Amino acid sequence: MPVSPMRGGSRLERVLRSGRFAVTAELNPPDSADPQSVYDRALVLSSVCDAINATDASGANVHMSSMGVCALLTRAGYEPVMQMSCRDRNRIAMQGDLLGAAAMGVKNVLCLTGDGVQAGDQPEARPVFDLDSITLLRTLRTLRDKGRFLSGRKLEEPPKVFLGAAENPFAPPYDVRPKRLGKKVEAGADFIQTQYCFDVTRLKQFMAAACDMGLDQQVFVLVGVGPLRSAKAAEWMRDKVPGVVIPDVVVDRLKGVPKEQQAKEGKSICIEIIQQVQEIPGVRGVHVMAYRQEELVAEIIEEAGLLARRQRESMAAPDVPRVGSASPRP
Amino acid sequence: MERLFVRVERLSKGLIFDCRMCGQCILHSTGMTCPMTCPKNLRNGPCGGVRPDGHCEVVPAMPCVWMQAWERSKQMSMYGKAILQVQPPLNRSLQGTSAWVNDLNGVAQKTPAGWEQ
Ligand code: SF4
């Protein structure tokens, strides 16, 4: 378990440091200016997870901004992870946004390079990519730890944030992925949320290499998981969503059951994967994602036994409250 | 004089490395593969979008330049480890200038004042 001093002091950080298996979930920002559309989704997730990720135009599709979603979430006492992608903003905008977000109570930030604009609904847009995920991490760490901007100019009050990054163990070059994880840790990552895992064997190899490098002692790894709705959806996802790798055995398993039962099978696969990754050394939590199916995410977390486990373990760490302390839990 | 360097550099490196004249050359840290040919301009790649066939997320017809960079780095005895270093943010105002000249007068090595090495 990493023994470094507390970085940002967020609830997520405290959960991870307490040794409890952490659960984060993705909130898909609405195509709406109504705050209720955010709160409806957050309510479903808050009772089952430690922090809620607000995506930043993921897949290069425009939605409500992660900054806006996070502002709403912190107002209501939820714990967000604000995703920041380098695709749409330069270094000036991103440093300013970090200060703004921290001032609004955001304590977790996930630094991403971002999907290319071609993947989204507005491929004519100009991609920015002034920084990349690694230079962004190091920049934000400098704001936090050294109290200065990239320019060297001093901050009056540094932002207290727990810094995260993504990694994709399932994309080639496979032997480079643990090394790149090492670079992210060196650049300032305190935690990692991986891309969707549909290949536990590959993940095991990745984690074994990371542990050999001692990275499990320096960073908390949360494995990305999510349900597939059907064989067709799986095929669409692996063709269209950058970085999502779904092995044929998984697609074949879905194809092996009648259409009406494929969603149930997809859910079972997801739950099995959650149970398997919990046993892998160095894995400290899961990050559950399902595009616009927040109810399903909540069901999965419950059925995977993570709630019971968390309740049991939280007795050992009673000082760590749940994400939405205002909302009742089943 | 500098204009001459720019022209010679653009011509020679353009031919061999598909150089984009970023003005801060790190070819020896990237297996002699120009990172500026990556559509995301990554200096610390590869991104998580590399396709299972090793091709680029953004341009499916193109092999990922960062796959090549890591592969070629393995074969470089002298600079092979340099790819593990975190590369600083690029100075965008050097676009179109000569990296040779920038190297000589120290501009290329300069990082933003607040950057932690
Ligand atoms: S796949 Fe490779 S070349 Fe394409 S954007 Fe990602 S790192 Fe760059």
Side-chain angles (χ1 to χ4, degrees):
Chain A
M1 184 189 308
V3 285
S4 52
M6 194 76 104
R7 303 296 188 194
S10 72
R11 224 173 274 159
L12 177 62
E13 181 173 7
R14 280 183 284 150
V15 166
L16 285 164
R17 283 182 188 278
S18 77
R20 204 165 94 190
F21 195 78
V23 181
T24 56
E26 183 172 284
L27 184 149
N28 300 110
D31 297 331
S32 161
D34 181 2
Q36 198 54 45
S37 47
V38 171
Y39 289 133
D40 289 346
R41 292 171 164 91
L43 190 64
V44 179
L45 297 176
S46 68
S47 55
V48 295
C49 71
D50 299 302
I52 299 173
N53 275 57
T55 58
D56 182 9
S58 71
N61 290 300
V62 60
H63 304 292
M64 184 189 286
S65 71
S66 59
M67 180 89 153
V69 171
C70 287
L72 292 169
L73 292 180
T74 54
R75 240 185 249 183
Y78 295 116
E79 164 109 348
V81 176
M82 183 169 83
Q83 302 195 178
M84 284 182 114
S85 141
C86 298
R87 181 194 52 239
D88 308 323
R89 282 169 290 178
N90 69 9
R91 61 190 84 178
I92 299 174
M94 296 185 97
Q95 293 174 82
D97 279 350
L98 177 71
L99 292 187
M104 289 187 302
V106 172
K107 292 189 176 133
N108 310 290
V109 174
L110 188 77
C111 301
L112 305 168
T113 296
D115 304 316
V117 292
Q118 89 294 339
D121 63 342
Q122 298 177 60
E124 312 83 359
R126 176 179 188 138
V128 179
F129 297 116
D130 182 27
L131 300 179
D132 58 33
S133 59
I134 290 184
T135 46
L136 175 64
L137 269 171
R138 177 66 64 85
T139 299
L140 300 191
R141 189 184 76 179
T142 304
L143 263 76
R144 179 190 69 192
D145 293 349
K146 303 285 174 200
R148 59 171 192 246
F149 291 113
L150 197 52
S151 64
R153 198 149 48 80
K154 274 218 135 1
L155 298 169
E156 278 167 39
E157 181 67 39
K160 303 258 182 321
V161 281
F162 190 43
L163 289 174
E167 190 46 69
N168 189 357
F170 315 102
Y174 307 113
D175 59 325
V176 166
R177 294 295 165 186
K179 296 188 184 122
R180 189 143 188 277
L181 176 70
K183 273 182 96 164
K184 290 196 169 178
V185 171
E186 212 201 303
D190 304 315
F191 71 98
I192 296 288
Q193 290 174 320
T194 77
Q195 185 46 282
Y196 277 108
C197 170
F198 293 106
D199 186 345
V200 177
T201 312
R202 178 80 73 200
L203 179 71
K204 276 187 187 151
Q205 291 161 356
F206 170 81
M207 286 309 302
C211 291
D212 281 346
M213 293 164 69
L215 295 175
D216 57 319
Q217 301 299 312
Q218 299 167 55
V219 71
F220 299 100
V221 177
L222 284 79
V223 176
V225 291
L228 294 164
R229 217 177 317 179
S230 63
K232 227 174 117 196
E235 280 171 334
W236 183 88
M237 250 175 102
R238 70 172 170 188
D239 287 346
K240 294 281 185 308
V241 186
V244 176
V245 180
I246 307 174
D248 290 337
V249 280
V250 174
V251 180
D252 291 344
R253 186 168 152 191
L254 289 170
K255 279 185 181 155
V257 300
K259 266 217 173 71
E260 345 45 272
Q261 282 169 38
Q262 288 184 356
K264 201 165 149 252
E265 190 71 8
K267 189 172 157 188
S268 307
I269 295 174
C270 180
I271 291 171
E272 284 165 33
I273 292 175
I274 292 178
Q275 285 161 347
Q276 289 167 19
V277 303
Q278 283 181 66
E279 308 305 325
I280 301 176
V283 172
R284 308 295 303 275
V286 283
H287 174 53
V288 193
M289 304 171 270
Y291 187 69
R292 300 217 162 144
Q293 305 176 81
E294 281 83 4
E295 264 94 12
L296 182 58
V297 168
E299 280 173 39
I300 287 171
I301 294 170
E302 208 171 339
E303 287 172 37
L306 292 172
L307 278 185
R309 181 168 173 163
R310 290 171 66 230
Q311 267 152 359
R312 239 188 1 257
E313 289 174 5
S314 60
M315 282 186 226
D319 58 319
V320 187
R322 290 179 299 272
V323 57
S325 27
S327 53
R329 255 169 42 124
Chain B
M1 186 63 181
E2 167 135 22
R3 293 244 303 281
L4 180 73
F5 273 107
V6 170
R7 279 175 56 195
V8 177
E9 186 171 344
R10 192 188 299 274
L11 210 78
S12 57
K13 278 164 71 178
L15 267 176
I16 311 172
F17 303 113
D18 195 12
C19 168
R20 303 295 159 96
M21 296 300 286
C22 72
Q24 281 182 294
C25 191
I26 51 166
L27 277 172
H28 59 270
S29 304
T30 55
M32 303 309 283
T33 312
C34 176
M36 303 314 283
T37 58
C38 159
K40 293 185 188 173
N41 278 189
L42 291 190
R43 304 281 277 189
N44 291 289
C47 74
V50 187
R51 293 166 192 265
D53 65 358
H55 280 223
C56 172
E57 167 203 320
V58 182
V59 187
M62 178 182 109
C64 167
V65 299
W66 274 100
M67 287 272 293
Q68 296 175 339
W70 282 88
E71 209 40 61
R72 290 181 189 161
S73 267
K74 280 186 207 155
Q75 284 137 31
M76 286 169 66
S77 52
M78 207 154 108
Y79 293 113
K81 289 243 162 9
I83 200 164
L84 292 169
Q85 282 158 17
V86 172
Q87 289 294 334
L90 197 66
N91 180 350
R92 304 279 169 186
S93 68
L94 296 178
Q95 178 67 42
T97 62
S98 165
W100 293 338
V101 173
N102 296 339
D103 258 336
L104 284 175
N105 61 23
V107 177
Q109 294 82 354
K110 242 181 110 194
T111 54
W115 178 255
E116 282 179 76
Q117 284 299 344

